[in-house]
Structures are given as C-alpha cells and as structure tokens.
Amino acid sequence: EPFIRGAIDELIDNWIDDGEVPFYDQFAEPLPMIVIAELLGLPRMDLPQLKIWSGAWVLPFSRGLTEAQELDAVELHIELQHYIYDAMQAKRTNPGDDIITRLTKIEIEDEETGQKRPLLDEEIIGITDHLLIGGNETTAFALSNGLWVLFQNPDTYQSLQQDRSGIKNFVEEVLRIESPTQGLLRYVTEDTEIDGVPIPKGATLAIRYGAGNRDPRRYPNPEKPDLTRKNAGRHLAFGVGEKVCPGATLSRLEQRWAWEILLQRLHNMRPAPGKNQYSHRKGMWLRALDEIYLSFDKV
C-alpha cells in the first residue's frame, strides 16, 4: 500500500501545477504499469518499452487493423516474450523478492506422471506475459472510465467529495457500468440448452459480461452509479468462478487508493474545455476511451 500510494502521489506531482492533464496518458495508463512491473520484478527504467509491448498485445482486440498492423503487433509480442525469457534467466542467477523469481522456484504436479516438476520456461513466459498485460491495461481503462462516469454524474462526484466512504462502491459501480473487459470466449464441453436454445458440444460462446452487468433484474436503474447499492461488487467485470481474474483485488485497491488521493488533492474536477471527444477504441471485447482530459483546481 505505501508503494502504490507513493506512486499515485508521484504521478500527480508531475502535473498538479498545470491545472489540466491528459488523464489517461499521464495517470491512468502509467500507474498500473508501475505497480505490476514492480511486483513482477522488472526494472522501472524499462517501463516505456513495456508499455509499447503491452499496447501491441491488446491491439489485435481492435477491429479494422491492416495486415501490417497485425504483423507489427505479433513481432512486438515476440519481443516481449524474449524479454521475459531474459528476465527469467537473470532471476535464476540473482533471485529477488518478486513474482518471476517465485515462478522459477515453484513446482507443480505433472498431469501425466503425477510427479512434482518445475514450471517450463514457456509456462513462466505465458504466466508473466498475461500478468503484465492483465495487470495494467484493464486497470488503466477502469480509471479513465471512472473519470468519465464522474463527468456524466456530477451528483456522484459531489457525494464523493462530501463522503469518501463511498469510494469503494464507486469503484465497483464503474467496473459494473463500464466493464473494461466486456466479455470473453468460452467453449462448450457438452451438448446443452440455454433458455430454450440448443448449444452443441464444441460450440464457442461469447459471454458478454458488460450486458450481464447492466441487467435491470439484478441492478435496478443499471446505468446510474449508486454509492449505496448493496450488491455493487457482485458484477462480472473480473469473470466469476474458477476463471475469475487473479488480479481483481489488486486492481480494486489501486483504483480505490487512486480516487482517495485524487479527491484529496484535486478540487472542482471537470472536463477540459474543447478537448474531450469521448471516443472509444474499436472492437467488441474491451471498453476503453482513446483519451480523456481533466481540468481541476489544486487543493
């Protein structure tokens, strides 16, 4: 917690005297990357390059890419995998107190032999790759989506200014209303039926978390943030069951502490005049603003 709060304050210090900030570029995007890179054990000096690789990883989720863009994204992803491999080898020589070091040391039960074995290099690369991307991109989307929700609901902003205890529910409502991951694929393992529709074994389903999170049968007045909603945290933004996001708690804490400090240090938060288009990235899987600009008064 002290490390994350310190990172939040450090980012705000960079622009608090300006009275205006491109919120996604200079706060929402760098914060979760700083945090997950630290936990993984990756050097702070590598953050700019890690962000390039991370952006390339999620780019194919967008629609309308050219062949050149697709190929460039794949090449950058391969570069990231080589980088993780080198970091993994360095941790074996000089272990640290971090996730990658832990991954090089743990053992799992082999499904075929039942014997204990270390993780394979490709398994460590895959796990690290997904933790790096999942640990920063969607939290960045959630933070910028949260600011957009405040812009659309000034009464919610006023309530949070008066009573910071509502921040926890606010974070959950943002995740519910503007779910950064709108859905994922699931594969059907046996013939079944959903609401009278036959679903054959082997079919692929697009499970729409974003739709479920706005179901009025579960969430009355679903498009409006409610800081007193009893079931605010019972959304699907992180998935559910055995496939639930392993970084859900970390993301929630980052967002909660970010809004606590932002509301403490900034007053009269409002859209920067003439700059916001509120355009979103193309595609059906991710819900992310291209950019959002914030004006404010320094406390």
Side-chain angles (χ1 to χ4, degrees), residues 23-24 27-30 32 51 135-145:
F23 186 79
Y24 183 81
F27 185 78
E29 184 179 53
K51 197 60 208 175
N136 86 90
E137 291 288 347
T138 48
T139 299
F141 300 161
L143 286 167
S144 55
N145 289 346

Side-chain angles (χ1 to χ4, degrees), residues 205-226:
L205 297 184
I207 308 299
R208 303 304 296 166
Y209 303 154
N213 286 340
R214 292 188 177 217
D215 186 345
R217 296 169 296 179
R218 182 172 288 265
Y219 309 104
N221 196 10
E223 296 184 4
K224 178 74 176 176
D226 182 351

